[in-house]
Amino acid sequence: MRPMGDHYKPSYITVRYKGKRIEAVVDTGIDVTIAGTNVAKKHRWKIRPAELQSVKMANGERMLIKGLTTENFRVGRKNIRSVVYISSDLDELILVVDWMKKQGRMIRDFDARQIRFGDGGWITLRQETEKGCR
């Protein structure tokens, strides 16, 4: 469990997609990587139908899935091909457990607000308040 609302500020990292920066939330409490339709449109992702029609959010409500795409994201020196579900109920990209497993070993330093994947370098986690789920 974690507090939601004013007390909860998600942790963001920067990933690269075709050389462009995307600010992404790192969230270990979700099972599938998901992005908002606005992110998909901005980067011209080709969305195809998905068997998964919705996911259950922490508050018990359902988030509808419009489709999915498969894209390459770069973090540090590593490119990871990822399945990304698309929803109009979201305004950002959320990288989650399925994506992190592909990164290999993960170490998170809570005091220093850093994360490290595999043998790569430390990545600073940032908190931003302007973005978020709708």
Side-chain angles (χ1 to χ4, degrees):
M1 290 194 296
R2 67 172 172 230
M4 301 302 281
D6 293 338
H7 301 295
Y8 173 68
K9 293 180 182 166
S11 295
Y12 288 83
I13 63 170
T14 301
V15 298
R16 296 224 175 245
Y17 170 75
K18 294 186 176 180
K20 296 179 183 172
R21 295 167 50 118
I22 301 176
E23 298 302 313
V25 174
V26 178
D27 192 331
T28 58
I30 304 174
D31 292 332
V32 295
T33 294
I34 193 163
T37 52
N38 60 331
V39 176
K41 286 179 186 175
K42 178 179 179 180
H43 297 287
R44 297 184 178 139
W45 294 343
K46 292 182 181 180
I47 302 171
R48 59 188 190 276
E51 286 185 32
L52 183 65
Q53 297 297 304
S54 67
V55 292
K56 194 172 183 179
M57 297 186 297
N59 65 2
E61 292 183 28
R62 296 248 174 229
M63 179 184 294
L64 298 178
I65 302 297
K66 290 197 161 255
L68 62 85
T69 187
T70 304
E71 303 298 341
N72 286 312
F73 299 114
R74 183 175 185 86
V75 175
R77 289 178 245 132
K78 194 171 188 179
N79 280 311
I80 298 291
R81 190 159 181 80
S82 304
V83 172
V84 182
Y85 289 90
I86 307 298
S87 175
S88 58
D89 295 329
L90 190 67
D91 287 331
E92 58 202 345
L93 171 64
I94 302 177
L95 301 172
V96 297
V97 174
D98 65 336
W99 181 83
M100 289 180 215
K101 284 181 184 176
K102 292 179 182 178
Q103 294 288 336
R105 179 184 54 165
M106 181 185 85
I107 301 170
R108 184 168 179 169
D109 183 335
F110 287 93
D111 290 335
R113 299 209 38 79
Q114 295 178 330
I115 195 166
R116 182 176 175 175
F117 298 107
D119 295 329
W122 287 100
I123 300 167
T124 301
L125 294 166
R126 296 177 311 286
Q127 289 184 340
E128 298 180 19
T129 57
E130 294 177 9
K131 298 180 180 184
C133 297
R134 286 185 279 119

